[in-house]
Amino acid sequence: MRARLQNMAPQLSSSFISIALLFAVAFANFGQQAHGSVFEFSYAGLHGPANWGSLNPKFSTCSSGKLQSPINIIKNKAVGNKSLTPLTRVYKRGNAILVNNGFNIGVHYEANCGALIVDGKNYTFKQMHWHSPSEHQIDGVQYAAELHLVHLSDSGAIAVVSMLYELGDADPFISKITKKLGDLAKDACAGNEEAQIPIGPLDNKLLRKNTRKYYRYIGSITSPPCTENVIWNVLGKVRTISKEQVEALKAPLGADYKQNSRPLQSLNGRKVELYNEFSD
């Protein structure tokens, strides 16, 4: 991950530069930054999803894997599991950086900003990023956007919380960073570089509303190298996002990345489990 820091020295403190380097090490392990390979894959043409597996030997799992994401969740086929527990998410205020890595827009944090607890195991909150339209579908419905909250355990295991958005009222969290999104759109990334804009202290309480229903399955990262054995938790409650907010999330991205949702993948016999607080 090589951030375009030289042109942004007045904006970035030394602490932000240090954390950018730390994230480079952390995220390289599970491919969410695609190792700076902005032009190695895209969402259209010869470098599109159908060909990801053949673009680079490191991407072979994208075509050979059997636990790939995203999927279409069929409500009446989801299996209720009473052993599942509510998702415990403890997110706190922290200094944040808005990042355009070329294929999505995300928020990274300067320090530990909380954790997700899955089956009694802690997963540290590392970053979040958006896809539009949504990657996961429910009963064949594709939504306007999807937010992925990415968490990493000490052992390197990945757990993602997915939030789906339909068009409607503006999302309060995105509203907090709207101006910064505009600044990011003016500072387009090039080549293997990233564009970064410091946000400063960001309150994450809007991301941790009570979770009364979610779908759980084992899948993969949805961009190359498509690493598998990711614990997915797709929230049942669909939030709203305005058309202007969707456009703001797309604006900093190049033409082949504005529609940055991977096509649906086969379940290959996998089971989707359901946690529902109100079930008997």
Side-chain angles (χ1 to χ4, degrees), residues 39-55 255-257 259 263:
F39 295 115
E40 273 195 70
F41 75 91
S42 72
Y43 289 88
L46 294 177
H47 291 83
N51 297 318
W52 283 355
S54 60
L55 296 177
D256 287 348
Y257 302 90
Q259 303 286 327

Side-chain angles (χ1 to χ4, degrees), residues 134-151:
S134 73
E135 298 199 298
H136 287 89
Q137 298 181 21
I138 296 181
D139 284 344
V141 176
Q142 186 172 36
Y143 294 88
E146 181 173 348
L147 173 63
H148 293 165
L149 303 167
V150 182
H151 310 76

Side-chain angles (χ1 to χ4, degrees), residues 200-266:
L202 187 61
D203 192 345
N204 297 306
K205 66 181 180 181
L206 293 172
L207 299 172
R208 52 182 169 84
K209 293 182 179 180
N210 290 338
T211 304
R212 294 189 168 93
K213 180 179 180 181
Y214 66 86
Y215 299 94
R216 165 81 54 81
Y217 79 99
I218 303 301
S220 73
I221 294 297
T222 61
S223 58
C226 305
T227 307
E228 295 190 330
N229 292 311
V230 173
I231 300 174
W232 278 96
N233 306 276
V234 180
L235 302 189
K237 180 177 176 58
V238 177
R239 299 190 177 198
T240 60
I241 187 172
S242 70
K243 181 179 179 181
E244 292 75 19
Q245 288 179 325
V246 172
E247 292 173 349
L249 290 170
K250 291 177 180 289
L253 300 172
D256 287 348
Y257 302 90
K258 290 185 184 295
Q259 303 286 327
N260 59 356
S261 57
R262 186 188 190 190
L264 294 173
Q265 303 296 300
S266 173

